[in-house]
Amino acid sequence: MQFTYKAYRELIDLLKEKDYTFCSYENYAQSDRSVILRHDIDMDIGKAVKVGELEAQMGVSSTYFVLVTSNFYNVFSRRHQDMLRRLLDLGHAVGLHFDEAKYDCGPADLVLAMEQETTLLEHCLGCAVTSVSMHRPSAATLDADYRIREGKVINSYGSEFFRHHKYVSDSRRNWREDVLAIVSGGAHSRLHILTHPFWYDEQELDAKEALRRFCLSRADVCYGDMKDNIRDIGEFLRRDEL
């Protein structure tokens, strides 16, 4: 499967053709054949919004997991809050993407950190956050089956969704299994599909080019932010000088 919006549309069409019901983490058990679409936002919320708009146009909803500890974006900034609320307005859910590498602690304190970050994200969004996904989870975390808020917040890497569903992911821009073949085969009544919107574009790009374009685009974002904060910035630095 290519990393293009067209290819992603075709995946959704195939899921519909094979009679999968697009479900959330909360309601999948109500369907005999369910698929949970999950997206991890590692670096670029704007790319996630593009995928969210595509899904809404096709009449499906999914869950977007966002970091509150990212070096790439600030969920409390006005720009990024507007993007996240756009996802909510489109009918999607927004959950917490949790990076355990930010913490040096045992399992109990790690769960506490998840709960604290969940509360932070709720304050940011102004609504309840009911699910958490792990960012680059360790083997210990995958085995731990963490209960968050005594099970009231869903752990997307809990045994129900990581082992009892057929889980397939495009992590590191690589489908380790052929997702189209899995869907076409129809052997699994419970699918859990993870994508990373960062890698998708109008045309197929290799990883190097996708990363290069992202790095170059950061200059525009940085200059725009400085323009909002420094009066008459052109007296010091023009955009065309970057």
Side-chain angles (χ1 to χ4, degrees):
M1 175 176 162
Q2 289 191 320
F3 288 84
T4 64
Y5 299 130
K6 179 177 182 290
Y8 187 65
R9 289 188 190 95
E10 291 171 350
L11 173 61
I12 291 176
D13 283 335
L14 182 60
L15 287 162
K16 290 180 177 180
E17 179 186 323
K18 295 300 179 179
D19 295 322
Y20 282 97
T21 301
F22 295 84
C23 295
S24 68
Y25 288 99
E26 291 83 6
N27 67 8
Y28 73 91
Q30 299 172 17
S31 173
D32 292 333
R33 288 175 64 78
S34 65
V35 56
I36 298 172
L37 296 178
R38 162 190 157 199
H39 310 283
D40 287 352
I41 307 177
D42 292 343
M43 292 185 282
D44 191 340
I45 300 179
K47 295 293 288 288
V49 171
K50 289 184 179 180
V51 173
E53 290 172 341
L54 180 160
E55 289 175 328
Q57 290 167 5
M58 300 187 74
V60 304
S61 60
S62 60
T63 302
Y64 289 81
F65 288 99
V66 63
L67 291 156
V68 299
T69 57
S70 173
N71 292 326
F72 293 103
Y73 56 78
N74 176 6
V75 296
F76 284 91
S77 73
R78 176 64 180 272
R79 179 172 69 251
H80 292 122
Q81 278 191 337
D82 287 347
M83 290 179 182
L84 293 174
R85 286 169 182 156
R86 171 64 173 157
L87 288 171
L88 294 171
D89 290 343
L90 289 168
H92 303 299
V94 174
L96 173 70
H97 202 26
F98 180 78
D99 187 358
E100 64 181 280
K102 301 287 184 182
Y103 299 90
D104 182 16
C105 60
D109 287 335
L110 206 57
V111 171
L112 178 60
M114 294 177 205
E115 294 171 345
Q116 291 171 335
E117 287 195 15
T118 297
T119 299
L120 277 175
L121 186 57
E122 288 175 331
H123 285 309
C124 171
L125 299 175
C127 65
V129 171
T130 59
S131 56
V132 173
S133 77
M134 308 304 169
H135 181 55
R136 299 175 299 181
S138 65
T141 288
L142 293 177
D143 289 337
D145 211 3
Y146 290 125
R147 285 175 55 82
I148 307 161
R149 288 186 180 170
E150 299 181 342
K152 295 176 183 176
V153 171
I154 291 165
N155 174 7
S156 70
Y157 277 113
S159 58
E160 176 60 29
F161 301 105
F162 192 58
R163 294 182 175 84
H164 299 159
H165 282 60
K166 177 57 180 177
Y167 173 80
V168 59
S169 165
D170 69 353
S171 293
R172 291 181 60 85
R173 200 187 172 280
N174 176 37
W175 290 100
R176 288 166 178 77
E177 298 180 79
D178 187 336
V179 64
L180 298 178
I182 289 170
V183 175
S184 296
H188 303 279
S189 61
R190 298 274 185 255
L191 295 178
H192 184 193
I193 299 175
L194 165 62
T195 72
H196 295 76
F198 176 82
W199 297 117
Y200 292 78
D201 214 308
E202 295 294 344
Q203 59 183 337
E204 179 79 347
L205 304 173
D206 61 24
K208 179 178 180 179
E209 180 61 15
L211 292 168
R212 188 187 73 85
R213 292 188 181 193
F214 174 68
C215 290
L216 291 175
S217 73
R218 302 293 287 182
D220 282 322
V221 173
C222 182
Y223 190 82
D225 289 340
M226 288 194 298
K227 189 176 180 180
D228 289 340
N229 286 277
I230 300 176
R231 186 177 63 253
D232 299 325
I233 188 176
E235 296 177 2
F236 305 106
L237 177 69
R238 300 190 314 274
R239 174 64 187 87
D240 61 10
E241 292 178 303
L242 292 178

